[in-house]
Amino acid sequence: MRIALTSIMVDDQQKAVDFYTEKLGFVVQVRFPVGAFEWISMTAPDGPADVQLALEPATQDWAIAFRTGLYESGIPATGFQSGDLRAEYDRLVAKGVTFRNPPQAHPGMPTTAILDDTVGNWIQLYELPA
């Protein structure tokens, strides 16, 4: 068993596509209409081609409440690994990405930074210790 697809709920699918492609460098792999919304999956710029992130519409009351609770509590919806978090942070700040905090080292643990994806989620970036 392996993970080939995971998803994140977003306020606005097109705004999410714009952010994840233009700011983070993700590449859309699959996109087609499903009723009033779309199926959208993408791959990370430095990730394997067979692991995709789906951008799920979050219009149901329960989804809005869940995501609002995570966001207001400062809990990341997901995390992405970086090989050089400081360089990634600097590159994203230069592109206008808003972070809750700059990279923070944690002894014996990953270095982390948390960004706002503009569609209702905190996303944790992390770099594993050397």
Side-chain angles (χ1 to χ4, degrees), residues 38-76:
E38 291 184 85
W39 173 266
I40 304 168
S41 65
M42 49 185 42
T43 53
D46 299 325
D50 63 344
V51 177
Q52 296 188 20
L53 175 69
L55 303 176
E56 302 280 356
T59 58
Q60 307 89 341
D61 290 343
W62 66 265
I64 293 167
F66 175 74
R67 292 178 57 253
T68 299
L70 285 178
Y71 192 87
E72 288 177 356
S73 297
I75 299 171

Side-chain angles (χ1 to χ4, degrees), residues 2-111:
R2 67 187 185 92
I3 297 172
L5 176 72
T6 189
S7 63
I8 187 167
M9 294 184 283
V10 299
D11 292 340
D12 179 312
Q13 285 184 300
Q14 184 56 53
K15 187 176 176 184
V17 168
D18 294 345
F19 179 84
Y20 281 82
T21 58
E22 295 170 13
K23 303 293 186 181
L24 301 186
F26 281 56
V27 177
V28 174
Q29 297 298 320
V30 180
R31 187 171 188 175
F32 59 86
V34 179
F37 301 102
E38 291 184 85
W39 173 266
I40 304 168
S41 65
M42 49 185 42
T43 53
D46 299 325
D50 63 344
V51 177
Q52 296 188 20
L53 175 69
L55 303 176
E56 302 280 356
T59 58
Q60 307 89 341
D61 290 343
W62 66 265
I64 293 167
F66 175 74
R67 292 178 57 253
T68 299
L70 285 178
Y71 192 87
E72 288 177 356
S73 297
I75 299 171
T78 194
F80 303 138
Q81 185 176 351
S82 173
D84 184 345
L85 185 53
R86 174 49 71 175
E88 193 77 48
Y89 172 83
D90 291 342
R91 179 184 75 79
L92 293 174
V93 166
K95 287 184 163 236
V97 174
T98 301
F99 279 80
R100 192 170 75 199
N101 60 276
Q104 297 177 337
H106 309 280
M109 301 289 290
T111 299

Side-chain angles (χ1 to χ4, degrees), residues 70-71 74-78 99-100 114-116 120-124:
L70 285 178
Y71 192 87
I75 299 171
T78 194
F99 279 80
R100 192 170 75 199
I114 298 174
L115 65 85
D116 186 334
N121 301 293
W122 292 115
I123 305 295
Q124 180 170 276

